[in-house]
Amino acid sequence: MADRTSGDGKAIALVLGAGGARGLAHIGVIEVLNRRGYRIAAIGGSSMGALIGGVYAAGRLDAYRDWACALERGDVIRLLDFAFGHPGLIKGEKVINAVRELVGDHRIEDLPIPFMAVATDLKRQREVWLTRGPLFDAIRASIAIPMVLTPHTLNGRELVDGGLLAPVPIAGTRMAMVDLVVAVDVGAQIRRPPRPAPAEPRPLPEARPKPGSETGNRDSLRNRIATFVETLMDRNDGKNAEPPEPASQTGMLELMSRSLDTMQAQISRLQLALDPPDILVRVPHDACFFYEFWRAREMIAIGAEAAEKALDAWEAG
């Protein structure tokens, strides 16, 4: 194994964990690894980790970063395509198409960096490692959080979020010929550092369709649903460091976020204990809720800080 004094020349397998909007911290981690001379030779990811890893492997992380940092709360809500009559709140086509426009269509086997997205096969109740085929098919399957995004059918299999069984999918990277395995857990059970209150979000623009028109009816329904989704979110919108009390004041999406975090934290602890990486980057589980994608800049900074801390500790050891 290479020496521990610097990242120069070290080839790493990078494992990017699940965590919804907290997965934006992966961008900051990748930027620090590159800046400090570590060479990412293979990537595996679950859920948001699969999205960020796939975008990086395709060479378009900078474009995605700029796009994500420009998103405000209203922009995120406008990317939601509600799935009437489907097994999920959101179809996910609008957001996938938006990212595809930035990144372009790729096949996984043609990427310059070996990439693996992890999904969960509902029928067989097992992990699926996606290493071939269209990149965005793999990403769409890996990010399909049950009840939030509709499942994705691929090669006859109904696939959902990889974070259900592999929140930090280390096992799939063990075949890579590298010096180190670096894993990023964005659901770490540590407290986030204090942060300033975010600026008040701008209100959504009101649509003014023609009365009685079919388009107007659809737009009116869409606006009503968007308003409903707003009410599902934590009414404090993450401005307070402590969760609101009593529990009856908790928003529905916050409750879902905490439930997912609880499940994934337990699985992650077992996986990391049984198969520890060489370097573990830990992002606090309470850094943001899984749906707060308008906080990209903050999450990227948190990821960069966590990466610097982990690398400093490893290189000093």
Side-chain angles (χ1 to χ4, degrees):
M1 182 173 291
D3 69 83
R4 298 165 70 95
T5 57
S6 76
D8 292 343
K10 287 187 176 62
I12 65 170
L14 181 61
V15 182
L16 302 179
R22 288 194 308 273
L24 292 163
H26 294 316
I27 299 173
V29 174
I30 290 172
E31 291 176 345
V32 169
L33 288 169
N34 286 333
R35 186 165 62 246
R36 293 179 64 149
Y38 293 86
R39 180 172 60 85
I40 299 172
I43 302 176
S46 273
S47 197
M48 191 63 181
L51 189 150
I52 298 296
V55 170
Y56 177 77
R60 296 290 292 165
L61 189 63
D62 288 346
Y64 177 83
R65 184 193 201 280
D66 293 344
W67 176 77
C69 287
L71 291 177
E72 297 185 1
R73 183 178 177 132
D75 300 318
V76 172
I77 292 174
R78 278 185 285 269
L79 284 170
L80 306 182
D81 45 356
F82 297 99
F84 301 106
H86 291 77
L89 181 64
I90 301 161
K91 288 185 287 187
E93 294 175 4
K94 287 181 71 173
V95 67
I96 283 291
N97 288 338
V99 179
R100 183 188 279 114
E101 285 184 13
L102 289 171
V103 176
D105 282 313
H106 300 268
R107 294 188 65 83
I108 296 174
E109 58 268 31
D110 296 332
L111 296 173
I113 300 173
F115 170 72
M116 175 196 68
V118 178
T120 300
D121 186 323
L122 282 179
K123 182 177 180 180
R124 295 174 177 82
Q125 299 182 341
R126 63 181 62 176
E127 294 176 40
V128 177
W129 297 352
L130 301 171
T131 59
R132 300 185 64 81
L135 174 62
F136 280 97
D137 271 347
I139 289 173
R140 176 61 181 83
S142 189
I143 66 172
I145 301 173
M147 297 182 294
V148 178
L149 284 170
T150 58
H152 188 65
T153 300
L154 187 60
N155 299 325
R157 294 180 292 185
E158 191 175 38
L159 304 180
V160 296
D161 196 295
L164 289 183
L165 295 180
V168 187
I170 294 174
T173 64
R174 286 302 187 186
M175 291 172 52
M177 299 296 291
V178 295
D179 299 307
L180 300 168
V181 173
V182 178
V184 186
D185 178 7
V186 294
Q189 297 300 299
I190 55 177
R191 297 294 294 175
R192 69 185 175 199
R195 69 173 191 271
E200 289 291 333
R202 293 189 300 187
L204 289 173
E206 286 189 25
R208 300 186 180 276
K210 296 180 180 179
S213 69
E214 183 180 350
T215 301
N217 291 336
R218 286 200 303 267
D219 289 345
S220 177
L221 179 59
R222 186 178 296 113
N223 289 339
R224 289 201 299 271
I225 294 173
T227 301
F228 171 68
V229 170
E230 289 257 85
T231 67
L232 295 181
M233 297 180 179
D234 172 27
R235 64 189 61 194
N236 287 316
D237 196 25
K239 294 186 178 73
N240 299 328
E242 298 300 324
E245 296 292 345
S248 61
Q249 298 296 307
T250 300
M252 180 177 170
L253 287 185
E254 182 192 341
L255 178 61
M256 185 180 294
S257 177
R258 292 184 186 178
S259 300
L260 287 170
D261 288 348
T262 300
M263 178 189 70
Q264 292 180 349
Q266 289 289 86
I267 298 173
S268 294
R269 275 196 288 267
L270 290 173
Q271 288 182 326
L272 292 170
L274 292 171
D275 191 12
D278 297 290
I279 301 174
L280 177 61
V281 179
R282 305 177 75 207
V283 174
H285 72 284
D286 57 354
C288 74
F289 293 123
F290 80 90
Y291 53 82
E292 293 183 304
F293 287 93
W294 53 87
R295 291 172 58 186
R297 291 183 187 277
E298 180 183 351
M299 291 311 305
I300 292 169
I302 289 174
E305 182 180 356
E308 296 280 10
K309 181 178 180 180
L311 293 174
D312 285 346
W314 188 85
E315 291 173 3

